[in-house]
Amino acid sequence: MSALYTMRYVGVPGAGATTLYIGRQSILGIDAGGARYVGSYSETRGRMNVDITLLMPKGGVLITGVNAPAGSKYKLTADWPDEPADGYVHRIYFDGKPLQVGFERIGYIP
């Protein structure tokens, strides 16, 4: 599976969407505020074990409401189905804090 997705934080007013590439055990993404997502995943029994570093090159306000200084990094982890755009909300841990995300598949990448 290699595809481009929109990931939205659920239940967080004013939260923007993130565009993510998920494929070939890599995750890469960016959001409108300039945050970068760089990570990997492994697949077992139809599930993805996800490990992402959120990079804040310019700084800004995090989804958790915390001000992030320029150059800061945060750990995101998750256990998602191998097709996250399944119509369900999934949990992601943002520096240990659980949040909910939903996915929409933009398209497959060959």
Side-chain angles (χ1 to χ4, degrees):
M1 172 223 33
S2 291
L4 196 59
Y5 293 90
T6 298
M7 180 180 80
R8 289 186 174 81
Y9 292 94
V10 177
V12 182
T18 299
T19 301
L20 293 178
Y21 163 80
I22 302 175
R24 299 185 177 126
Q25 285 71 48
S26 293
I27 298 175
L28 297 171
I30 189 168
D31 69 18
R36 307 291 175 146
Y37 295 74
V38 179
S40 62
Y41 66 94
S42 59
E43 290 183 81
T44 305
R45 297 185 190 130
R47 306 286 301 173
M48 291 190 300
N49 184 11
V50 176
D51 186 18
I52 301 171
T53 300
L54 173 64
L55 308 167
M56 298 293 291
K58 296 188 241 174
V61 179
L62 299 173
I63 194 72
T64 59
V66 173
N67 284 316
S72 56
K73 298 179 183 182
Y74 301 89
K75 184 170 184 69
L76 286 76
T77 58
D79 176 27
W80 296 330
D82 60 3
E83 172 48 81
D86 59 1
Y88 293 98
V89 173
H90 303 290
R91 181 167 287 169
I92 188 169
Y93 290 91
F94 191 107
D95 233 14
K97 180 182 178 175
L99 297 171
Q100 302 291 324
V101 291
F103 290 87
E104 180 182 343
R105 185 179 343 98
I106 298 168
Y108 289 109
I109 298 174

